[in-house]
Amino acid sequence: MTTVYDGISDRLRGWLEEQPVFFVGTAPLSGDGLVNLSPKGTRGTFRVVDAHTVAYLDLTGSGVETIAHLRENGRICVMFCAFDGRPTIVRLHGTGSVLARDEPGFAEALAAFGEPGTSRRHGARSVITVAVERVADSCGYAVPRMDLVEERNVLDLAHAKKSPQVMADYHREKNARSLDGLPGL
């Protein structure tokens, strides 16, 4: 049974910020465009700003679909699943915005993440902020129970090997357009 909440409570905030993985869904306006679903992880890279606002660090990766879709239409859904404890799924529907690393205010937005923002500054390409319009949970009865063995450090290690110029070149060459040709970075 789904429960729709007025906003993100303190209890829910604690639960969301403790989850080791979440998923971000976006889509272009075009009916034949590709829907995107991206896993996001690493504790400390997601934060609840207030009862109707969340933000996460968008780390440099191979695709730029979320950024492109948000810049085109803003629609986003962030989903969390409980892999241990009470079987729960929480979805945050809203309108997302992108603050890219070369835009004014990026340093302040990154600093709000504390140590995870500081340690991942080199690999962060943007901060995604979501104005949450709907907060709902549902049962996670079909979600398997799983144990977190450890977080992967592969992305952090890959970013550390690249100079600032190499990262900038990567963003320009690989993150300029979405799979559907929408503008990215």
Side-chain angles (χ1 to χ4, degrees):
M1 186 92 182
T2 298
T3 302
V4 178
Y5 299 92
D6 292 331
I8 301 168
S9 67
D10 288 341
R11 181 194 63 75
L12 184 55
R13 173 190 193 134
W15 184 83
L16 293 171
E17 290 180 345
E18 281 299 313
Q19 300 311 302
V21 66
F22 59 98
F23 304 88
V24 175
T26 60
L29 290 175
S30 171
D32 61 352
L34 297 170
V35 173
N36 185 61
L37 181 60
S38 293
K40 305 292 180 184
T42 308
R43 289 187 189 192
T45 59
F46 175 88
R47 61 187 284 271
V48 175
V49 177
D50 61 40
H52 298 283
T53 312
V54 299
Y56 71 88
L57 294 180
D58 176 51
L59 303 174
T60 298
S62 57
V64 71
E65 305 312 294
T66 301
I67 290 173
H69 295 161
L70 292 180
R71 287 190 167 163
E72 183 195 42
N73 62 61
R75 297 177 305 158
I76 188 169
C77 180
V78 182
M79 185 184 79
F80 294 81
C81 300
F83 295 107
D84 65 0
R86 186 172 163 250
T88 303
I89 297 170
V90 174
R91 290 180 181 88
L92 308 173
H93 292 89
T95 303
S97 60
V98 179
L99 182 60
R101 66 178 301 120
D102 60 349
E103 295 177 332
F106 179 75
E108 293 80 9
L110 196 61
F113 289 90
E115 190 283 325
T118 301
S119 65
R120 291 186 173 83
R121 180 182 184 92
H122 181 62
R125 64 181 169 194
S126 72
V127 171
I128 304 293
T129 302
V130 180
V132 178
E133 298 154 12
R134 184 176 191 267
V135 178
D137 71 7
S138 59
C139 76
Y141 296 161
V143 176
R145 289 181 55 105
M146 295 188 288
D147 292 324
L148 174 66
V149 175
E150 65 184 353
E151 292 191 7
R152 297 176 196 251
N153 64 356
V154 178
L155 188 60
D156 290 336
L157 293 173
H159 291 161
K161 292 178 184 177
K162 296 177 179 158
S163 70
Q165 185 58 53
V166 169
M167 289 295 274
D169 291 345
Y170 186 91
H171 291 157
R172 189 178 61 258
E173 294 166 15
K174 305 284 187 186
N175 290 168
R177 297 239 170 242
S178 74
L179 295 171
D180 294 318
L182 295 172
L185 291 178

